Amino acid sequence: MKLKYFLYTLVVFAFTSCDDYLEPESLSTFDSSYIYSNAEDARKAVNAMYVHFSHDGFRSRLSNNMTGNTDIEHAGGSSDGARYQIWRLDAQENNGDLKYVWDIGYQAIRDANIAIEGIMASDALNSDDAALSRKMSHLLGEAYTMRAYWYSMLIYYFGDVPFSQEAPKVDVEFDLPKEDRNVILTNVIQDMIDIEEKMMWADEVQFGIEQINREYTLGMIARLALQRGGYYLTPQLSMERQSDYLDYYQIAKEYTKKLMDLKDRELPTDFRQVFLNQCKFISPVNSDILFEVPFAIGEGDVGWNIGIRVDAGTHPYGSGSNYMAMPPTYFYSFDTLDQRLDVTCGLYTIDKDFVQQLVSTGNMNISQGKWSREFLDTPPGPSTNKGTGINWPMLRYSDVILMYAEAENELNGPTASAQDALKRVRQRAFDESAWSEKVDQYVANVSGSKEDFFDAIVDERAWEFGGEMIRKYELIRWNLYYDKVEETVGGCKKMAVEAFEGTSDLPDYVYTKLAENGDLIIYNKFEKVLAAPDETWERQSWLINMYDETQPDGYAEWITYDWNNYVNPSNIGVPDGVIRYIFPIPRIAIDSSEELEPNNGYGFNF
């Protein structure tokens, strides 16, 4: 059952226990030794860490808007607004969205540090009461994991950043210089390793998968280990990784395997239901989602700026847009029998009369079909937009399985256990009648070499997690960001030309109609046909929209514009083949510090 008032409770606690939760000194209004002397009050204090998920800096920025552009999700536009600067990779030091993320990241870290210090100093942590000690240990694990998450994100966006591990107090220096990102990741990974065995599973804690649990911590150890063992951009604009990277692939393998051994679960057979549950406020434990950000009704932007587009009208569902579209190259990369396709790629919008309409590839708005405000059981009202209350997935079990397959392959090649892990994920994607070809034979075909199996993992993660906005981080750590974007732009151009010249087997036009239940039916999604079966079908432009004769090169503007600074990095002073995914540290943070230096290098000219 969804805990509708979880975040509301956190906000109330934060604001009733201090004058301003943004001010570190105000957090000491209650005596720390009293707060952490019992599990109930300690729980409330730890809850303060979660408040920052309800900030726009996370719910509409970091969770989705800021994670493009990639080969499977992208956005663009010529505005000079903060998010457009980020999409174009030319964000300035005064970019408001980057400031949001910097601020809430360090506020969440501050609150985690307060909780860690309070719990570590508490007699309750080492109490003879085993139940009390275990509750306090779990809360400590939540705080370590929350801190690790935010440092991971700050590193992906800003590179080397200040590393604070102490709670704010008078005699502690908080004007810190940058620390090497690898040092930070090494430390926060070890923190989680040291605590995870004392944490509780989701089915043992009050809020299930709506709070950090042992499953999530084990998965985060692996995720951050792969980040630590992966590539990163240096100020000299080269992609490098540390010589000890295999040690971290070993950690990823060990801790994914540990979760799979200790708390295995079958992947739900209905892929759609995994995300429909979020729109129905259902949060099952021991299932696919390991942790999801709990948004109360009136909070959260899922179904407003990500998901199926719904136009405002007289209907009671309000309006929602989609800022991160999916290119047709991604749609047509799927096997036509892959049951994840129709769930992941939304090919319709809902108009003001609540009628489904075909999306247009001319302005590129294939959407994340995993979420929609139309799926809500109770319509939120005709004038609503934000605040759907739909939760946001942070980590799924299928991710753990694929991380295991990747780590095992990197260490030992495509062993039987690596192949079995890949098969588990693909079995959910296809009807059992197709397993022989689409699972067993497919996996056998891609297991001829370590390189081929890795390529298959890269593909599988695209198909499994499309729209969940983690692709950017994967492409970075694999050092495939430039290659995959270049491949996508080239693929889109090829589709456009072939549709215009009529040389492709893919549909330049499609035939559509509405089913009796109102669902949009597309007769020929995957192939070109000369005519529809009868006159009930409407012919509509499809891939032909990707060609625009009014443009100098003939391509729809989004194809060349949205990824321009990615495939042509010299536009922003970056060498060919390098995507500058690192952004400037906010100027206000630099100006208020005597120790923090700006992100010199990276081709910035401030």
Side-chain angles (χ1 to χ4, degrees):
M1 178 178 182
K2 175 164 169 57
L3 188 64
K4 298 179 184 295
Y5 302 107
F6 185 26
L7 280 182
Y8 172 74
T9 302
L10 305 184
V11 174
V12 169
F13 174 80
F15 281 96
T16 56
S17 61
C18 56
D19 293 329
D20 183 351
Y21 78 93
L22 299 181
E23 293 297 325
E25 60 270 24
S26 65
L27 290 169
S28 61
T29 302
F30 290 134
D31 181 73
S32 177
S33 62
Y34 168 75
I35 292 174
Y36 295 102
S37 66
N38 64 89
E40 290 72 23
D41 286 322
R43 169 79 265 166
K44 294 176 184 177
V46 170
N47 285 353
M49 303 183 307
Y50 291 83
V51 173
H52 309 291
F53 284 138
S54 66
H55 191 290
D56 273 354
F58 175 83
R59 69 185 200 178
S60 65
R61 269 74 168 185
L62 185 60
S63 64
N64 54 77
N65 268 354
M66 291 173 58
T67 55
N69 292 331
T70 71
D71 55 333
I72 68 176
E73 301 133 344
H74 81 107
S78 57
S79 168
D80 196 43
R83 65 174 179 264
Y84 296 91
Q85 292 180 7
I86 291 170
W87 294 336
R88 292 194 302 264
L89 303 179
D90 63 353
Q92 303 301 299
E93 292 178 303
N94 63 351
N95 185 282
D97 285 359
L98 292 176
K99 180 180 181 297
Y100 288 156
V101 171
W102 181 273
D103 286 349
I104 64 168
Y106 277 107
Q107 288 161 20
I109 289 167
R110 174 207 66 196
D111 290 348
N113 286 340
I114 291 171
I116 291 166
E117 187 169 292
I119 295 170
M120 292 289 287
S122 170
D123 290 338
L125 179 64
N126 298 308
S127 170
D128 292 335
D129 182 338
L132 174 59
S133 178
R134 189 170 186 232
K135 287 180 181 177
M136 297 298 288
S137 293
H138 179 81
L139 292 173
L140 183 60
E142 283 191 54
Y144 278 134
T145 306
M146 181 73 81
R147 185 169 73 179
Y149 167 77
W150 281 106
Y151 273 123
S152 169
M153 290 297 101
L154 290 169
I155 286 168
Y156 268 127
Y157 284 88
F158 302 106
D160 297 342
V161 295
F163 185 34
S164 171
Q165 296 176 280
E166 295 187 76
K169 46 188 177 289
V170 174
D171 59 343
V172 173
E173 177 58 59
F174 281 92
D175 186 7
L176 300 175
K178 297 178 191 176
E179 179 59 271
D180 184 293
R181 72 198 81 189
N182 296 301
V183 171
I184 297 173
L185 289 171
T186 297
N187 276 271
V188 298
I189 290 168
Q190 190 62 50
D191 288 337
M192 292 188 289
I193 288 174
D194 291 342
I195 195 63
E196 61 85 9
E197 289 189 349
K198 298 179 181 180
M199 295 180 69
M200 300 184 200
W201 303 112
D203 58 13
E204 297 177 303
V205 295
Q206 182 179 2
F207 303 135
I209 63 170
E210 291 187 319
Q211 74 181 83
I212 291 172
N213 50 66
R214 189 180 179 190
E215 291 102 309
Y216 179 64
T217 297
L218 283 166
M220 285 297 285
I221 292 170
R223 178 175 279 182
L224 268 65
L226 291 177
Q227 180 180 0
R228 171 63 174 79
Y231 288 87
Y232 59 91
L233 184 65
T234 71
Q236 294 74 39
L237 294 170
S238 62
M239 292 294 288
E240 299 179 2
R241 66 175 171 184
Q242 297 294 289
S243 60
D244 61 355
Y245 73 95
L246 287 179
D247 294 342
Y248 289 89
Y249 276 86
Q250 182 62 41
I251 291 173
K253 175 189 171 181
E254 179 180 345
Y255 284 89
T256 51
K257 184 68 163 53
K258 187 171 188 176
L259 177 54
M260 293 161 68
D261 287 343
L262 295 177
K263 200 68 171 176
D264 197 18
R265 73 281 312 272
E266 294 295 323
L267 293 177
T269 56
D270 188 341
F271 188 69
R272 183 180 298 278
Q273 192 64 45
V274 172
F275 309 98
L276 196 60
N277 283 343
Q278 296 180 311
C279 301
K280 303 295 185 185
F281 306 146
I282 301 169
S283 301
V285 296
N286 299 320
S287 191
D288 196 354
I289 294 180
L290 304 184
F291 170 53
E292 58 187 18
V293 172
F295 288 123
I297 302 299
E299 294 286 344
D301 291 343
V302 185
W304 177 68
N305 70 343
I306 186 168
I308 299 291
R309 195 188 93 200
V310 179
D311 294 336
T314 56
H315 61 80
Y317 285 89
S319 63
S321 189
N322 176 53
Y323 291 0
M324 277 288 159
M326 295 176 167
T329 45
Y330 175 57
F331 178 84
Y332 285 108
S333 74
F334 280 83
D335 189 292
T336 59
L337 297 180
D338 193 326
Q339 296 175 135
R340 296 171 295 191
L341 174 55
D342 289 340
V343 178
T344 301
C345 297
L347 298 187
Y348 68 92
T349 63
I350 297 177
D351 68 16
K352 63 181 180 62
D353 299 314
F354 213 65
V355 176
Q356 292 187 8
Q357 304 287 350
L358 181 70
V359 302
S360 169
T361 56
N363 55 11
M364 197 49 261
N365 57 5
I366 295 176
S367 63
Q368 289 81 359
K370 292 176 176 176
W371 308 279
S372 176
R373 60 197 306 114
E374 68 168 315
F375 300 155
L376 294 168
D377 286 335
T378 302
S383 62
T384 58
N385 42 54
K386 299 166 71 86
T388 62
I390 299 172
N391 283 0
W392 181 251
M394 295 288 277
L395 183 64
R396 295 200 282 116
Y397 193 56
S398 59
D399 197 337
V400 171
I401 295 171
L402 289 176
M403 284 193 289
Y404 171 79
E406 178 184 345
E408 170 67 4
N409 180 63
E410 183 67 27
L411 294 165
N412 302 307
T415 62
S417 64
Q419 293 180 48
D420 287 344
L422 179 55
K423 286 179 182 179
R424 286 190 68 178
V425 175
R426 286 188 67 82
Q427 283 172 347
R428 200 239 313 258
F430 294 93
D431 185 84
E432 189 171 356
S433 63
W435 284 3
S436 176
E437 177 186 358
K438 303 300 182 180
V439 178
D440 297 335
Q441 189 59 53
Y442 174 86
V443 173
N445 290 343
V446 301
S447 299
S449 68
K450 175 180 174 179
E451 293 73 24
D452 289 346
F453 193 82
F454 170 73
D455 291 342
I457 292 292
V458 171
D459 290 341
E460 201 66 40
R461 293 189 66 88
W463 299 321
E464 179 72 14
F465 303 114
E468 296 173 57
M469 314 312 293
I470 60 175
R471 185 66 165 180
K472 173 180 179 177
Y473 311 126
E474 297 169 350
L475 295 179
I476 290 168
R477 67 177 180 83
W478 291 327
N479 194 20
L480 288 178
Y481 206 167
Y482 180 88
D483 293 342
K484 285 296 182 181
V485 169
E486 184 182 45
E487 178 184 306
T488 297
V489 173
C492 286
K493 290 179 176 180
K494 182 174 183 290
M495 278 187 176
V497 170
E498 290 180 348
F500 178 71
E501 295 178 347
T503 57
S504 174
D505 293 330
L506 296 175
D508 42 9
Y509 296 87
V510 293
Y511 293 88
T512 68
K513 68 177 179 180
L514 295 178
E516 290 185 5
N517 66 356
D519 289 348
L520 182 73
I521 305 173
I522 303 175
Y523 176 66
N524 59 314
K525 282 191 291 189
F526 304 112
E527 61 184 358
K528 184 187 302 184
V529 297
L530 296 179
D534 56 60
E535 67 279 358
T536 63
W537 297 86
E538 177 186 1
R539 183 176 185 256
Q540 298 199 58
S541 298
W542 185 235
L543 296 184
I544 193 69
N545 282 331
M546 297 175 69
Y547 196 86
D548 185 349
E549 293 183 272
T550 68
Q551 294 297 317
D553 52 15
Y555 307 118
E557 186 177 21
W558 62 267
I559 296 176
T560 52
Y561 187 87
D562 290 359
W563 287 289
N564 190 21
N565 290 342
Y566 296 72
V567 296
N568 297 303
S570 60
N571 293 343
I572 51 175
V574 176
D576 185 54
V578 175
I579 289 181
R580 185 180 66 191
Y581 66 85
I582 294 292
F583 292 103
I585 292 175
R587 170 49 60 180
I588 191 170
I590 302 295
D591 291 345
S592 62
S593 170
E594 294 182 0
E595 297 289 340
L596 184 60
E597 296 291 334
N599 268 347
N600 294 323
Y602 298 107
F604 294 132
N605 296 300
F606 299 127

